[in-house]
Amino acid sequence: VHDLPRDQRGGPAPTALLATLDHPRGPLHVIVTCLEWEPAYAADQLAQAAAVAALAADPRLDGPLPVLVIGDLNAAVEHDVIAPLVASMVDTFAAGGGDPAAKTVDSAIPHAPVEATHLIDRRIDHILARDGREGRKLTVTGAFIAGDRPVGGHYPSDHYAVGVDMEP
């Protein structure tokens, strides 16, 4: 677990979990995080995004497979608060031909966080990637949203999941 910078309120910022998975083609480095969401703390969110981007860019993570950042970034890719991540990584959902109108926080879900007006009806959950080897291009062959239908009358979460198909 990597601690990110302290937030403006003096408390600990969210953490990023770096896991290295044993993949048949080599180590697969996955960083999972959830960034600040409240507009009053946009500077914290930007600092958190920069810290996660720096972690993802660490050359010690270079190898035969991409480095992945997965999580609820609490911003759409066009929002400035996650610019450090968007600038240094590939939005695999877009690269995989995902629907540009897709959303992961949907006002139609009964328990959606509608008070987060700047996030509602947006795609704020992401799978970002950088190739583990300089000069190689990521190959994303598909992108989809999952969990966007009720199961037994209930949605599985207040967010839909993002999924992508990638070639290692």
Side-chain angles (χ1 to χ4, degrees):
V1 175
H2 293 268
D3 288 326
L4 300 181
R6 290 194 162 299
D7 68 17
Q8 292 174 354
R9 296 162 287 185
T15 57
L17 174 66
L18 168 61
T20 301
L21 307 177
D22 187 17
H23 188 280
R25 295 191 183 178
L28 176 62
H29 304 291
V30 180
I31 300 164
V32 180
T33 192
C34 179
L35 303 183
E36 176 64 64
W37 71 271
E38 294 179 80
Y41 303 108
D44 292 338
Q45 187 179 20
L46 182 61
Q48 293 164 358
V52 172
L55 176 59
D58 189 327
R60 293 175 293 181
L61 302 182
D62 290 351
L65 296 174
V67 176
L68 304 177
V69 171
I70 299 174
D72 176 0
L73 302 183
N74 281 309
V77 292
E78 64 272 12
H79 289 156
D80 291 341
V81 291
I82 61 167
L85 282 163
V86 174
S88 63
M89 304 192 80
V90 172
D91 174 8
T92 61
F93 189 81
D99 180 358
K103 51 191 165 189
T104 58
V105 177
D106 188 345
S107 58
I109 299 175
H111 53 282
V114 293
E115 68 278 6
T117 56
H118 66 294
L119 303 177
I120 202 76
D121 293 327
R122 310 287 300 239
R123 181 172 60 91
I124 65 168
D125 301 275
H126 304 279
I127 301 171
L128 304 176
R130 76 160 177 90
D131 203 300
R133 291 186 184 154
E134 192 172 324
R136 243 179 64 184
K137 185 179 178 201
L138 288 169
T139 304
V140 186
T141 58
F144 56 93
I145 298 292
D148 57 342
R149 291 176 178 75
V151 177
H154 301 282
Y155 285 91
S157 174
D158 63 341
H159 290 231
Y160 302 147
V162 175
V164 296
D165 296 315
M166 298 178 68
E167 294 292 325

